[in-house]
Amino acid sequence: MSNTFPADSVGLVVPKTHHFHEPLPLDSGRELPEYQLVYETYGELNQDRSNAILVCHALSGDHHAAGYHSPTDRKPGWWESCIGPGKPIDTNRFFVVSLNNIGGCSGSTGPASINPRTGERYGPDFPIVTVADWVRSQARLADVLGIDCWAAVVGGSLGAMQCLQWAIDYPDRVRHALLIATAPKLSAQNIAFNEVARQAILSDPDFHDGRYLEHGTVPRRGLALARMLGHITYLSDDAMRAKFGREPRGTAGKLSFSFDIDFEVESYLRYQGQSFVERFDANTYLLMTKALDYFDPAAKHNHDLSAALAHVQARFLVVSFTSDWRFAPSRSREIVRALLDGDKDVTYAEIDAPHGHDAFLLPIPAYLDVLQAYLEQVAEEVGA
Amino acid sequence: MSELRADLAIISEWIEPGSRVLDLGCGDGALLKYLQEERGVSGYGLEIDPANVVACIRNGVDVIQTDLDAGLNDFDPDSFDYVVMTHTLQAVSYPHRLISEMLRIGRQGIVTFPNFGYWRVRLQLALKGRMPMSGALPHKWYDTPNIRLCTLRDFEALCRQQGIRILERRVLDHAHHEQAFSRLLPNLLGEIAMYRFERAA
């Protein structure tokens, strides 16, 4: 197998599943009577159990962060650029845990799972989950794995919000929190984009009030539209110009004078939308966007983020990207400022990158240098 | 001490153990690392250059990547004992604003800068009629980052104007050594100026 995969990849990985029989209380006041989490691990847990890193996924991610599920896989996990032997999240030194969050559609309990109380799929009845709910479920997984304290919790975008929540809710279980391309809460503009995405799904005639699977269909158009919209916000104007410009699609550069595809960017977005439908669930998309909208750890503290962070013990690395307009550097600086207010340990890097929000997933040398330098310090500290 | 640049060694003597320090333009974080390890100091460095940010991380120094010209609004009044700025004053757009910001967020300020009143500098302009270059000022006029050069007298005049009391002054040569004779005529014989100052309440 060793010659099938790149040397700096974790190679073949097999997802694991843990079933939790104890109910999970949720912020909504509801609970999940029982649930399962699907997760992957890379590297070895050391004897002190001090070298564990939790990787939290973003909106459309899942537990498959690195490596391959089969030798014929076309693509590795979603954060292959960052996780592997010798990479910033160095699997020679760290034990990496990556899970699919509750409400997801990659194996953890979600809307397509069977509700044990009814014997039917949850569908639209799946409770709205929050970032804090996820973190609560992740803490239980840590218990199962025998990890009292993470060397680091790491995530980008919605994943970073989970890391921030971890540092707040479990201050003595997080040594370092690495927050990449994120915000302490969504802006009205962020929520507006999410609402349009949700409306695209909700108004698709194939949505059937969330019971589409029972109708033997999926709201393809709605989910694809939601993804197309999302993709626009993940790229910067410059990145789109560089990638597509106004390149015409086919027909020797002639305009079609119809509503068919004329430009490359249209073709790209349609492809992104359609391929997303094949792998993602519409009810999950609705839930994930709500978790984003509801995230606001300062709300409980009179909207004072410094107060929300008053008891964190973790040291922080906050990273933003200059061209990210979905979660702009100024949003990361709100977090940095709140940490400075409390004299917390924080390092902030603003990476000069043209790619927009997507940058956090890309192998940008200046970005990986920062992660690598920081995580090497972490490794030294925990004896990894 | 031998590994620390002489001007940084003097600064570290000026700083009381256990205090909180903000280092503006902290470079690779050498000063803060030294202060953390040897004097139990805590604090942050501010730095704009990506390679220096990585170097700070490797030095175990908390660094915030930022442009000093964008101001220090992220910091609350009186949140540091010392705000330090070595060899950076002459490279920012508004030195006078930054100095007053230093004393807004810190109890005391410490700066070092190349003295434009140094005799060799004066001679180059006076005799050759060319923009001066020296060990402390190694750049050509068109590509120098040093856009706000001043002399000791200029700096002290600014302090008087801004109601700042100077607590200590030293002058060094460009290798950061202290020469006894330069104390006689510091504005003429000092190549690098070092000041510690506070608000004249």
Side-chain angles (χ1 to χ4, degrees):
Chain A
M1 209 60 72
S2 58
N3 54 1
T4 332
F5 304 112
D8 62 354
S9 174
V10 297
L12 195 66
V13 292
V14 180
K16 306 175 184 83
T17 301
H18 189 87
H19 201 95
F20 296 81
H21 296 282
E22 191 191 344
L24 183 73
L26 302 171
D27 283 351
S28 62
R30 296 173 66 185
E31 63 170 29
L32 277 181
E34 55 184 274
Y35 58 98
Q36 69 177 28
L37 292 175
V38 60
Y39 65 99
E40 292 179 359
T41 67
Y42 324 113
E44 301 287 332
L45 188 60
N46 64 7
Q47 221 159 19
D48 301 344
R49 299 171 180 273
S50 64
N51 69 334
I53 288 186
L54 176 69
V55 171
C56 300
H57 71 72
L59 182 67
S60 61
D62 59 21
H63 55 288
H64 187 36
Y68 299 80
H69 283 161
S70 100
T72 55
D73 277 3
R74 239 174 7 97
K75 280 184 179 176
W78 57 267
W79 216 8
E80 182 75 0
S81 60
C82 209
I83 304 170
K87 289 179 183 171
I89 300 176
D90 188 347
T91 50
N92 289 333
R93 305 183 81 174
F94 292 110
F95 175 65
V96 183
V97 179
S98 171
L99 77 160
N100 182 214
N101 279 320
I102 283 184
C105 53
S106 300
S108 291
T109 299
S113 308
I114 302 296
N115 180 348
R117 286 178 181 158
T118 64
E120 290 174 13
R121 290 183 196 278
Y122 280 103
D125 296 334
F126 196 87
I128 301 271
V129 285
T130 65
V131 168
D133 292 333
W134 285 335
V135 168
R136 208 171 299 125
S137 72
Q138 291 163 5
R140 288 193 179 173
L141 182 64
D143 294 340
V144 168
L145 297 171
I147 296 158
D148 296 331
C149 182
W150 298 103
V153 292
V154 189
S157 194
L158 176 57
M161 294 174 184
Q162 294 157 55
C163 301
L164 187 57
Q165 193 76 49
W166 257 102
I168 293 169
D169 288 352
Y170 299 96
D172 52 349
R173 298 190 74 172
V174 181
R175 277 181 173 276
H176 293 267
L178 280 65
L179 315 182
I180 304 160
T182 195
K185 62 180 179 225
L186 262 58
S187 67
Q189 188 194 44
N190 295 147
I191 295 172
F193 277 116
N194 281 345
E195 172 58 6
V196 176
R198 281 191 295 269
Q199 285 302 325
I201 294 169
L202 294 168
S203 62
D204 186 325
D206 284 333
F207 183 64
H208 296 291
D209 293 327
R211 295 271 170 215
Y212 44 88
L213 292 178
E214 285 83 340
H215 286 78
T217 182
V218 288
R220 298 185 63 88
R221 284 162 293 180
L223 184 55
L225 273 176
R227 182 62 168 176
M228 289 165 80
L229 180 69
H231 250 281
I232 297 170
T233 71
Y234 302 152
L235 300 178
S236 67
D237 190 18
D238 281 347
M240 275 206 172
R241 189 178 298 118
K243 208 164 177 174
F244 312 110
R246 288 177 52 91
E247 273 309 300
R249 170 85 176 174
T251 58
K254 287 194 185 124
L255 299 178
S256 72
F257 290 95
S258 75
F259 298 116
D260 287 341
I261 289 176
D262 280 312
F263 298 101
E264 276 294 344
V265 65
E266 298 170 289
S267 165
Y268 169 83
L269 284 176
R270 286 193 196 188
Y271 171 79
Q272 289 295 335
Q274 279 153 20
S275 62
F276 190 61
V277 171
E278 304 306 323
R279 71 172 180 93
F280 215 80
D281 177 67
N283 281 324
T284 289
Y285 202 87
L286 295 175
L287 287 173
M288 296 283 160
T289 58
K290 269 292 175 190
L292 270 168
D293 291 1
Y294 283 4
F295 180 71
D296 184 6
K300 273 193 232 167
H301 299 267
N302 215 8
H303 300 281
D304 178 353
L305 187 60
S306 316
L309 295 171
H311 300 289
V312 303
Q313 294 173 31
R315 303 181 65 175
F316 283 78
L317 172 65
V318 180
V319 180
S320 70
F321 300 93
T322 49
S323 59
D324 182 353
W325 58 277
R326 190 180 170 103
F327 295 136
S330 58
R331 306 304 315 281
S332 284
R333 291 204 65 135
E334 291 174 31
I335 299 172
V336 172
R337 191 188 166 134
L339 291 165
L340 290 174
D341 273 351
D343 298 342
K344 307 295 180 188
D345 276 308
V346 53
T347 282
Y348 171 66
E350 194 170 303
I351 309 295
D352 189 9
H355 316 81
H357 187 59
D358 253 358
F360 86 89
L361 294 166
L362 301 176
I364 299 162
Y367 162 48
L368 296 185
D369 283 352
V370 166
L371 291 185
Q372 185 116 31
Y374 193 89
L375 286 166
E376 277 175 16
Q377 293 292 117
V378 175
E380 296 292 326
E381 181 187 315
V382 301
Chain B
M1 194 71 89
S2 61
E3 287 179 18
L4 199 65
R5 228 170 56 200
D7 57 333
L8 302 186
I10 292 170
I11 291 172
S12 76
E13 285 167 29
W14 282 353
I15 287 175
E16 286 169 33
S19 50
R20 288 186 52 72
V21 175
L22 183 67
D23 189 351
L24 310 182
C26 64
D28 65 3
L31 175 66
L32 276 172
K33 179 183 162 72
Y34 180 85
L35 291 173
Q36 281 170 198
E37 288 170 359
E38 304 297 324
R39 310 199 48 97
V41 156
S42 62
Y44 309 95
L46 305 189
E47 180 54 52
I48 192 169
D49 177 66
N52 275 337
V53 168
V54 170
C56 285
I57 293 172
R58 291 195 185 280
N59 273 326
V61 166
D62 282 343
V63 58
I64 310 295
Q65 189 168 9
T66 195
D67 180 358
L68 294 179
D69 280 338
L72 300 173
N73 292 333
D74 285 350
F75 297 94
D76 288 335
D78 296 313
S79 43
F80 293 91
D81 296 309
Y82 303 92
V83 181
V84 180
M85 188 160 62
T86 61
H87 291 286
T88 302
L89 184 71
Q90 77 283 356
V92 300
S93 294
Y94 304 102
H96 59 305
R97 287 188 203 162
L98 200 51
I99 287 169
S100 88
E101 275 287 273
M102 287 171 79
L103 290 182
R104 177 182 68 82
I105 60 183
R107 201 164 49 79
Q108 292 190 3
I110 294 172
V111 298
T112 73
F113 58 84
N115 172 27
F116 209 65
Y118 180 54
W119 68 274
R120 283 180 183 276
V121 170
R122 297 192 199 192
L123 273 188
Q124 282 186 55
L125 192 56
L127 299 181
K128 289 192 190 162
R130 298 285 304 269
M131 278 303 281
M133 286 173 65
S134 70
L137 295 167
H139 299 92
K140 296 252 197 273
W141 64 272
Y142 48 80
D143 66 357
T144 180
N146 303 321
I147 55 173
R148 301 287 190 220
L149 291 157
C150 70
T151 68
L152 272 69
R153 275 196 195 165
D154 290 326
F155 181 77
E156 289 171 19
L158 177 64
C159 287
R160 275 196 300 279
Q161 189 192 315
Q162 295 211 349
I164 290 168
R165 176 165 50 230
I166 291 166
L167 300 169
E168 213 159 344
R169 180 185 73 194
R170 302 271 189 98
V171 290
L172 309 177
D173 66 18
H174 71 266
H176 298 105
H177 294 307
E178 224 173 348
Q179 308 286 359
F181 63 86
S182 39
R183 289 189 198 170
L184 302 172
L185 291 164
N187 197 33
L188 194 63
L189 302 177
E191 209 168 348
I192 289 166
M194 302 181 64
Y195 285 93
R196 183 162 66 90
F197 52 89
E198 67 179 10
R199 272 163 296 201

